[in-house]
Amino acid sequence: MTEIDLDLSRYQLGWHDDVDYVFKPRRGLDEAIVREMSGMKGEPEWMLKRRLKSLRAFEKRPMPNWGGDMSEIYFDDIYYYIKPTDHQVDEWDDLPDAIKNTYEKLGIPEAERKYLAGVTAQFESEVVFHRNREDLEQLGIIFCDMDTALREYPELVKQYFGTVIPLNDNKFSALNSAVWSGGSFIYVPKGVKVDMPLQAYFRINTQNMGQFERTLIIADEGSEVHYIEGCSAPVYTSDSLHSAVVEIVIKPSARVTYTTIQNWSNNVFNLVTKRARVEAEGHMEWIDGNIGSRLTMKYPGCTLVGPKASGEVLSVAYAGPGQHQDTGAKMVHAAPETTSKVVSKSISKDGGRTSYRGLVHVDDGAYGCKSHVQCDALILDDDSVSDTYPYMEVGSKDAVIGHEATVSKIADEQLFYLQSRGLSEEQAMSMVVNGFIEPITRTLPMEYAVEWSRLIELQMEGSVG
Amino acid sequence: MFSTLTLPSPDAALPPVPDWLASCRADALRRLHDAAPPNSAAEEWRYSDVDDVELESVAFGAGPGPSVRVEGPALDGVTVGAASEFDGPAADSVAQALASTLDDGDPISLVSLVGLSDPLVIDVAPGRTVAEPIRVTIPVGDGIGAHTAAVVVRAGANSDVEVVVSSDGDDVESLEIVRIVVDVASAARVRIAEVCNVGSRVRRISSVVGRVERDASLSIAHAALGGAATRTRFDARLVGRGASGDLRAVYLGTGDQRHDLRTFQRHEAPDTSSNLVFKGALDGRSRAVYTGLIHVGHDARGTNATQSNRIIKLSDDTWAESVPNLEIHHNDVRCAHASAVGPIDEDQRFYLESRGVPPEVAERLVVAGFFEEVLGAFDRSGEGAALRSTVNERLGAGA
């Protein structure tokens, strides 16, 4: 038996750059902090009011009594707002060296320069590096960070902000609405199709610093856009909180794909609210990969409000030692002939726990709806745990709603076959696991798919025992 | 159902029963006072109607003697008697069987013991195969308050027995709380067939709790047809290596009926297997909730478990919720669940109609075929035919 103790976050991304922060307010959260934050950002009055209202909602709401163990989130021990540099920069070369180094280690420059479109790299709470491709601007696409959007397109932001996820939707969306900072804003005009995916990298880089980015994507009629969000964070000893809110507005016949690769270090609580509002014949696709964090609770949702709207969630979760991935999907069919599909694959190993938690709701009178949910779980050893909690609420008569789930270990026959072809047991396991999640990997852009397969391979090292 | 629950105080005078039974009840009552009241905000009660059942008038049984009847002649190797007739170690073991199945998270299980007058105990001697099913009838209360009844079935090692439980009585407004506790010793085989076809004004809360030891098997078949509202809980605890459990149920909702079904398949030992097949058809304005859990413990290597709940919706005003859950703590398992909610298959309907079958009959035929997988389990005890015609009649009567 070979035990190679490999922890990915330590193995590959376990560095920590020292960055001088311009402003570092105290820990904890109260009205003064929110006012100070809003004032420093020079926000309009309505946003400040909203933040304060959200803060009250956050304070009032109890902690959720379901999902993972959140007893070690100490809200008073978190920095709610940090500004990494004193102003935003337009050129890559203008970035402080320490920040650039961090990105170098993530391999961003090569990947981006070769393949990718506009870059919004989120370092700490605010976007420090941001470059719009000229042709995006020519098409009328707005792609900037949320704070900039609030300054430059206040009307647009005011019209849509908080319309998909109300500020008091849940405790963590209320928290985010009170202290949000950074995140992306995208507006795609009518009929415009963006060929290249837009992407942003996120990174938490201060001990006990919560990151509360806020993303709003508006896809106007008949438009198409693919947004990619990738996360990685260095390892720290004390716990961090990441609580983002992502709202997507899909106008009739528009299509949005939102891809997330989440690889927070194993001390981060990742409690994220993501939801799309899909109008007639629109389509939303969430592709969600969760490999890092201590606890992730994330249930990307689609509220299908227009006839023939459709939603899809493809998710992969990997839970290693000490990790709990509580992920799933939420599909609300509020209009006739809407369809949804959820495919969830999870792998738990070395005491990790994966949970699928999902809801399919069909309103009374939403005739002709179809939904299918499929959850497959692999448990790689005796210590690991897998749960499935699907909820189905069906009001209309002719809705066709299905759910199926299987939980198993890797079949001995598969391992035997591969080993008889000369692969080591470890290689064989890694290959089976990669095959298991292939339906989702193949939907990723090429370089993400490669990175994802590699991450899985790394996690699988030392799995034979 | 229990928002207005008021309980007797722990030292309230209860009807005379043997001390051990009284202390069993007092214990349950204390726990009930400590337990959180049912609340629709809690996950356990999320989909249940917890607003319109009043328990302040739980009828605490009139005294010794089971409120449950057993039909048929005495059988060799089978002892049937009221729990109050037991004393010494025999009484202790009954008390233990009753207490071991309580769940503080489920106040109903506690209420069922608090209000219990005198359980009926059926003991089957080890090695004994009982050829004829034992028929138990639970009379529906007289309409005054809630009415509780319990049956304890204990099958000795390597015995074989079938118990048919049915509820019987007038259609009066009443609340029935029924608890069936089954202890299956090693290599024994027990089948419980429960037919719930009470009147349309009866509300019924029942649970069937089974503990299955090494190489033993427990099959439960349940038909929820009548009643204004039913909540039925099934627990199959597989505690011995090689134990198996089979849970089947049909539920038919018409009018304003509500069916609430809750299942637990607990695998606590290696090489255990369980299979669950639930089928429901909803017509009128009926509602159904299914919540199930397969739990595979750390020691349950080689578990094989399946769980499937399927619902046909016959009318637009029905509402169905299905929550089939899995919690798996071991990797060497095979576990699958499936759940589906949908209308009658159009192809099947078309086929029948093209053969000249009138639409409403076609619908009934499809439902009958859909239910057959479960109703077949009632044939052995001879209940099948009656159930089929009941289903047919109720569907024919329309919503």
Side-chain angles (χ1 to χ4, degrees):
Chain A
M1 185 169 106
T2 349
E3 285 282 345
I4 309 165
D5 180 26
L6 271 184
D7 179 310
L8 183 73
S9 41
R10 206 165 6 103
Y11 179 82
Q12 199 188 29
L13 303 172
W15 70 91
H16 167 213
D17 299 310
D18 290 320
V19 178
D20 289 327
Y21 295 101
V22 174
F23 168 73
K24 203 162 188 171
R26 62 185 198 279
R27 294 165 199 253
L29 179 60
D30 53 32
E31 197 177 315
I33 290 244
V34 173
R35 284 184 185 278
E36 190 177 28
M37 177 191 297
S38 185
M40 284 185 65
K41 287 164 174 279
E43 287 178 351
E45 183 67 19
W46 66 267
M47 183 55 84
L48 174 65
K49 277 190 180 154
R50 216 192 129 80
R51 283 180 184 273
L52 293 173
K53 202 172 164 192
S54 307
L55 178 66
R56 283 193 292 275
F58 166 72
E59 285 166 348
K60 222 165 137 187
R61 268 194 178 263
M63 281 294 271
N65 57 2
W66 49 275
D69 177 10
M70 286 173 275
S71 58
E72 285 180 39
I73 302 178
Y74 303 109
F75 290 107
D76 293 337
D77 215 22
I78 293 171
Y79 291 108
Y80 286 89
Y81 177 58
I82 282 176
K83 204 171 184 175
T85 53
D86 50 355
H87 59 88
Q88 291 208 40
V89 292
D90 298 324
E91 290 300 320
W92 179 260
D93 292 339
D94 293 345
L95 278 172
D97 283 345
I99 294 178
K100 254 198 289 195
N101 287 340
T102 308
Y103 287 130
E104 294 287 347
K105 286 174 195 160
L106 279 174
I108 294 174
E110 295 86 303
E112 277 168 9
R113 284 172 195 168
K114 281 181 190 157
Y115 302 112
L116 305 167
V119 170
T120 303
Q122 170 144 1
F123 192 82
E124 300 304 336
S125 304
E126 210 172 298
V127 174
V128 291
F129 177 72
H130 174 228
R131 188 179 55 186
N132 274 343
R133 279 197 338 184
E134 280 180 8
D135 46 352
L136 286 183
E137 285 170 5
Q138 277 166 12
L139 289 168
I141 296 165
I142 303 169
F143 179 30
C144 59
D145 69 273
M146 201 62 209
D147 294 288
T148 307
L150 186 58
R151 270 194 312 275
E152 293 180 13
Y153 313 97
E155 288 312 310
L156 209 50
V157 173
K158 194 175 176 183
Q159 189 184 345
Y160 292 104
F161 193 94
T163 56
V164 183
I165 301 172
L167 57 87
N168 197 10
D169 186 80
N170 62 70
K171 190 171 178 78
F172 294 95
S173 73
L175 176 64
N176 177 285
S177 300
V179 299
W180 71 267
S181 194
S184 298
F185 176 83
I186 298 173
Y187 172 80
V188 187
K190 276 186 191 172
V192 172
K193 294 189 167 63
V194 190
D195 300 330
M196 300 293 255
L198 305 176
Q199 76 175 67
Y201 280 82
F202 294 83
R203 216 165 126 72
I204 293 177
N205 203 7
T206 290
Q207 209 161 7
N208 285 334
M209 214 214 73
Q211 199 157 27
F212 304 96
E213 76 266 13
R214 181 92 191 193
T215 291
L216 175 59
I217 298 177
I218 302 150
D220 217 328
E221 259 181 77
S223 64
E224 264 184 55
V225 65
H226 183 178
Y227 179 75
I228 300 178
E229 165 200 57
C231 307
S232 87
V235 174
Y236 285 114
T237 49
S238 62
D239 293 324
S240 308
L241 172 64
H242 173 244
S243 181
V245 167
V246 176
E247 294 181 288
I248 300 184
V249 178
I250 300 179
K251 297 284 189 181
S253 304
R255 295 177 76 88
V256 174
T257 305
Y258 192 106
T259 301
T260 308
I261 301 290
Q262 180 269 111
N263 189 19
W264 299 114
S265 64
N266 291 357
N267 57 341
V268 173
F269 287 94
N270 184 39
L271 311 167
V272 176
T273 312
K274 293 181 167 179
R275 203 170 301 158
R277 181 174 178 280
V278 192
E279 295 183 14
E281 296 181 38
H283 180 77
M284 176 68 212
E285 187 175 7
W286 296 99
I287 300 171
D288 206 43
N290 294 291
I291 199 166
S293 84
R294 167 176 172 171
L295 168 68
T296 287
M297 285 171 69
K298 174 164 59 169
Y299 320 98
C302 298
T303 310
L304 307 168
V305 296
K308 293 195 166 75
S310 58
E312 205 170 327
V313 173
L314 305 173
S315 94
V316 186
Y318 169 91
Q323 286 184 281
H324 184 182
Q325 305 283 9
D326 198 304
T327 60
K330 195 169 180 179
M331 294 294 182
V332 177
H333 295 255
E337 297 184 54
T338 48
T339 55
S340 65
K341 180 177 149 191
V342 177
V343 179
S344 162
K345 303 255 179 185
S346 70
I347 301 144
S348 49
K349 178 172 172 284
D350 296 332
R353 177 172 199 156
T354 55
S355 308
Y356 170 83
R357 197 183 297 274
L359 168 71
V360 175
H361 175 98
V362 182
D363 265 357
D364 228 348
Y367 60 84
C369 294
K370 287 193 168 72
S371 174
H372 188 78
V373 179
Q374 188 189 337
C375 305
D376 296 323
L378 266 186
I379 308 183
L380 299 185
D381 52 52
D382 292 0
D383 305 325
S384 306
V385 180
S386 172
D387 314 305
T388 314
Y389 306 106
Y391 290 80
M392 277 160 269
E393 305 173 350
V394 188
S396 84
K397 174 188 170 183
D398 63 352
V400 180
I401 309 298
H403 171 95
E404 52 187 318
T406 59
V407 179
S408 60
K409 61 173 189 169
I410 294 180
D412 289 340
E413 302 86 64
Q414 293 179 348
L415 289 181
F416 176 77
Y417 176 82
L418 290 169
Q419 284 180 271
S420 74
R421 290 289 184 274
L423 294 179
S424 72
E425 189 174 351
E426 199 173 287
Q427 287 169 323
M429 268 188 139
S430 166
M431 189 171 273
V432 173
V433 170
N434 261 318
F436 172 72
I437 58 167
E438 194 269 344
I440 289 158
T441 331
R442 72 166 173 230
T443 64
L444 296 175
M446 189 266 286
E447 71 274 21
Y448 270 82
V450 171
E451 188 181 286
W452 184 248
S453 297
R454 171 110 182 91
L455 285 172
I456 292 293
E457 273 165 31
L458 285 167
Q459 296 285 13
M460 293 303 299
E461 281 179 28
S463 63
V464 179
Chain B
M1 288 187 212
F2 310 101
S3 58
T4 51
L5 174 60
T6 50
L7 295 163
S9 72
D11 48 13
L14 296 170
V17 285
D19 287 348
W20 66 267
L21 193 51
S23 80
C24 243
R25 294 204 303 208
D27 176 53
L29 186 53
R30 262 192 304 278
R31 288 165 70 175
L32 186 57
H33 275 279
D34 296 338
N39 169 356
S40 58
E43 187 62 26
E44 169 85 16
W45 304 98
R46 179 170 169 159
Y47 293 114
S48 302
D49 286 305
V50 288
D51 302 323
D52 65 344
V53 172
E54 295 164 13
L55 280 186
E56 62 262 47
S57 51
V58 169
F60 291 93
S67 55
V68 171
R69 292 195 305 272
V70 179
E71 320 272 329
L75 295 161
D76 188 26
V78 180
T79 321
V80 178
S84 58
E85 293 162 11
F86 288 66
D87 56 12
D92 289 345
S93 70
V94 175
Q96 210 180 351
L98 285 169
S100 71
T101 60
L102 295 180
D103 175 357
D104 285 340
D106 181 2
I108 301 305
S109 71
L110 299 167
V111 169
S112 70
L113 195 50
V114 171
L116 192 55
S117 55
D118 198 356
L120 177 84
V121 181
I122 299 173
D123 279 329
V124 181
R128 171 85 179 118
T129 296
V130 185
E132 286 295 308
I134 299 172
R135 293 180 191 280
V136 176
T137 306
I138 300 175
V140 169
D142 47 13
I144 306 164
H147 175 250
T148 61
V151 179
V152 178
V153 178
R154 294 186 296 180
N158 200 27
S159 61
D160 186 311
V161 67
E162 171 149 16
V163 180
V164 179
V165 181
S166 50
S167 294
D168 182 32
D170 300 331
D171 185 8
V172 289
E173 223 162 86
S174 69
L175 172 62
E176 303 298 306
I177 301 175
V178 177
R179 186 164 185 79
I180 300 172
V181 178
V182 189
D183 238 331
V184 190
S186 57
R189 298 162 298 283
V190 175
R191 293 171 300 284
I192 305 285
E194 196 188 10
V195 178
C196 170
N197 192 19
V198 290
S200 61
R201 288 193 286 165
V202 177
R203 284 168 297 184
R204 190 172 193 273
I205 298 169
S206 66
S207 60
V208 185
V209 184
R211 188 172 170 282
V212 189
E213 291 182 17
R214 187 175 176 128
D215 296 328
S217 73
L218 170 65
S219 306
I220 300 170
H222 180 89
L225 303 176
T230 67
R231 178 181 167 96
T232 312
R233 171 172 168 162
F234 305 86
D235 288 65
R237 279 183 63 204
L238 308 172
V239 298
R241 184 169 198 145
S244 68
D246 186 77
L247 304 170
R248 282 165 203 268
V250 287
Y251 46 104
L252 173 65
T254 55
D256 288 308
Q257 265 186 311
R258 292 195 306 262
H259 290 301
D260 181 346
L261 300 117
R262 180 161 269 269
T263 66
F264 295 88
Q265 292 154 272
R266 297 193 186 277
H267 292 256
E268 297 171 15
D271 301 322
T272 48
S273 59
S274 69
N275 180 32
L276 180 146
V277 180
F278 275 34
K279 294 199 161 185
L282 301 178
D283 203 354
R285 293 165 304 279
S286 61
R287 299 173 75 98
V289 182
Y290 167 79
T291 317
L293 174 69
I294 296 178
H295 180 90
V296 179
H298 280 295
D299 304 322
R301 173 179 292 276
T303 287
N304 194 341
T306 60
Q307 177 194 44
S308 115
N309 177 52
R310 296 181 197 281
I311 298 172
I312 288 186
K313 296 185 79 174
L314 301 169
S315 136
D316 233 346
D317 299 323
T318 57
W319 191 271
E321 271 123 5
S322 183
V323 187
N325 293 345
L326 304 177
E327 281 178 4
I328 318 276
H329 293 257
H330 200 288
N331 77 324
D332 187 7
V333 301
R334 276 166 188 278
C335 246
H337 68 182
S339 181
V341 180
I344 282 200
D345 187 277
E346 281 308 316
D347 291 344
Q348 294 179 6
R349 189 205 297 272
F350 176 78
Y351 177 84
L352 289 168
E353 287 181 22
S354 74
R355 291 289 182 280
V357 178
E360 64 282 3
V361 178
E363 205 162 75
R364 264 183 278 161
L365 276 176
V366 172
V367 173
F370 174 67
F371 277 175
E372 197 49 40
E373 189 180 359
V374 175
L375 292 181
F378 288 91
D379 281 337
R380 188 174 165 143
S381 59
E383 309 293 314
L387 277 175
R388 286 184 188 89
S389 67
T390 308
V391 168
N392 202 23
E393 268 167 38
R394 289 183 65 104
L395 284 171

